[in-house]
Amino acid sequence: MGSQMTKKRRAAFTLAEMIVVLIILSVIAAVALPKYNATIEKFRAAEGEQILLAIFGAQKRFALDNGGSYTNTLSQLDIEFRPSSNFGSPAVSSASPIAQITRTGSYTLQLSDTGAITCTGGASGLCARLGY
């Protein structure tokens, strides 16, 4: 009977082993979670970029038809947008930036008349982490 108890003890994990495993998993999660969140936010920012690039083309077409002037009204452009769950409605302007779109509760992406996209706002260097 004594040999059966020894086998059962060897088959189970001790409390110390479980604590070490939990500590290791916590450290891995602490390192991986911020990287994961940053990657997800980059994908969300890419949606905003795509919207701005579509507006850029539409503003350029509008300017060709209107003596080089851009419009202040989104409805005058030859594009339509589906509502985004990540960004508010885009805004257009006749001066640079010719368009901008704001990430819900966070940063704003702006489009210059040369097609350059910049980022403003965001918490503690978020725009830099996104690559702007």
Side-chain angles (χ1 to χ4, degrees):
M1 181 145 175
S3 64
Q4 287 178 347
M5 288 293 270
T6 305
K7 287 182 185 176
K8 285 185 181 180
R9 281 190 197 161
R10 289 186 184 162
F13 292 106
T14 66
L15 180 59
E17 291 170 329
M18 294 295 280
I19 290 173
V20 168
V21 168
L22 287 174
I23 290 171
I24 291 171
L25 289 175
S26 298
V27 169
I28 291 171
V31 171
L33 192 59
K35 297 270 187 198
Y36 171 77
N37 288 339
T39 301
I40 294 299
E41 193 56 44
K42 284 181 183 180
F43 285 121
R44 290 179 180 143
E47 177 189 8
E49 283 185 33
Q50 291 300 316
I51 292 169
L52 289 178
L53 291 174
I55 291 172
F56 180 69
Q59 281 279 44
K60 289 295 186 181
R61 289 187 298 275
F62 182 88
L64 283 173
D65 293 338
N66 294 283
S69 298
Y70 298 116
T71 183
N72 286 326
T73 309
L74 190 60
S75 62
Q76 290 182 321
L77 297 177
D78 60 354
I79 54 175
E80 292 182 23
F81 295 102
R82 287 181 286 148
S84 169
S85 60
N86 297 314
F87 288 90
S89 296
V92 295
S93 174
S94 59
S96 197
I98 60 171
Q100 67 180 19
I101 192 165
T102 301
R103 169 87 165 94
T104 308
S106 190
Y107 55 89
T108 299
L109 297 177
Q110 297 177 329
L111 174 70
S112 74
D113 56 353
T114 62
I117 297 175
T118 56
C119 178
T120 59
S124 62
L126 177 62
C127 289
R129 287 193 308 269
L130 292 174
Y132 299 102

